[in-house]
Amino acid sequence: MSGTDRLQAILDLLRAEDSVETEELALRFAVTPQTIRRDMAALVERGLAIRTHGGARRMASTSTLAYEDRRLEHAREKEAIGKVVAGMIPNGSSIMLNIGSTTEQVAQALSDHHDLVVITNNINVVHILRMSQVGSLKIAGGSVRPSDGAIIGGDAVAFMDKHKADFAVIGCSSLDSDGSILDFDEREVAVARAILRNARKKILVADRSKFDVDASVRIGNLEEIDILVTDGLPPESFLQAAKSAQTQVLCANRAL
């Protein structure tokens, strides 16, 4: 079992049992107690657990847990997407990133770049890149959504409208077979729209699970996107919509 899978399994146990013991987990997963303690430290750092004597207990915040769950879901796929996108971004360019666990993987993959201007409404992106050599980090002002670190609202929209970037990289919650790009929060969507209208090259990042999610607030459609980077073959109707929109679809490191 990989470290990511083990973390997800520990989270599942915390949800079911509220608390876990280090020694019991070490036996369950056939690893050393030291390995489990490192896993516990990672969960505590992410705000998912509280350390106890001999183990950990679940955090009461379900909103934080939900976002951290999304980070762990399809983690390998999101990491692969991030690396593909980072390969498109040359040193010395400017990039806008919105909130999302996949855009955070793009930021992680950009950490070895230099002389970038990174513009974002995602507190987590700043945390990922603040000790790197990327260059300039600019973050929007406005209301912070505690559950995921998104900065949303009119001030964040106005901030994006003050800038122009070479690249926009946005994530979403849902993709419809007709090419619609969707999310749940109108305030978050308003920022994503501002990012798209202020970038020269527009990249959408979404793992294959987004085709199984229904959301009602439209960010836009494929006509507004130059490249979609995903991890699996989209539905045929979506591929036809992408073809009509002249949107390139990339699956990991190969074109579809």
Side-chain angles (χ1 to χ4, degrees), residues 175-180 211 235 237-239 241:
L175 289 172
D176 195 84
S177 60
D178 67 0
S180 297
F211 293 101
S237 57
F238 185 89
L239 287 174

Side-chain angles (χ1 to χ4, degrees), residues 18-39:
D18 288 331
S19 65
V20 292
E21 298 294 327
T22 299
E23 296 294 335
E24 291 179 5
L25 292 177
L27 289 172
R28 177 189 287 263
F29 297 115
V31 295
T32 66
Q34 290 80 5
T35 297
I36 295 299
R37 290 188 189 100
R38 286 194 293 269
D39 290 341

Side-chain angles (χ1 to χ4, degrees), residues 134-236:
V134 295
S136 175
L137 283 172
K138 298 184 178 183
I139 189 164
S143 300
V144 179
R145 189 165 58 193
S147 62
D148 59 4
I151 301 173
I152 51 181
D155 288 343
V157 172
F159 175 84
M160 295 302 174
D161 281 332
K162 289 179 182 178
H163 294 85
K164 188 76 174 182
D166 298 316
F167 298 91
V169 178
I170 69 161
C172 65
S173 292
S174 172
L175 289 172
D176 195 84
S177 60
D178 67 0
S180 297
I181 305 161
L182 305 161
D183 223 305
F184 295 102
D185 190 325
E186 292 183 5
R187 300 165 301 167
E188 178 181 336
V189 165
V191 179
R193 288 175 179 163
I195 289 173
L196 288 177
R197 66 175 170 261
N198 288 294
R200 299 176 181 90
K201 192 83 167 181
K202 302 167 181 65
I203 302 170
L204 174 66
V205 292
D207 67 79
R208 182 62 177 72
S209 70
K210 304 304 182 186
F211 293 101
D212 301 323
V213 177
D214 291 325
S216 60
V217 186
R218 184 187 297 273
I219 297 173
N221 52 52
L222 286 174
E223 282 80 5
E224 300 166 71
I225 300 296
D226 297 303
I227 302 171
L228 165 66
V229 184
T230 185
D231 66 297
L233 187 67
E236 182 59 33

Side-chain angles (χ1 to χ4, degrees), residues 105-116:
Q105 285 297 323
V106 174
Q108 190 68 55
L110 287 170
S111 58
D112 290 332
H113 281 51
H114 58 82
D115 298 325
L116 295 182

Side-chain angles (χ1 to χ4, degrees), residues 102-124:
T102 310
T103 53
E104 289 168 22
Q105 285 297 323
V106 174
Q108 190 68 55
L110 287 170
S111 58
D112 290 332
H113 281 51
H114 58 82
D115 298 325
L116 295 182
V117 176
V118 179
I119 304 161
T120 187
N121 70 318
N122 187 337
I123 287 176
N124 307 304

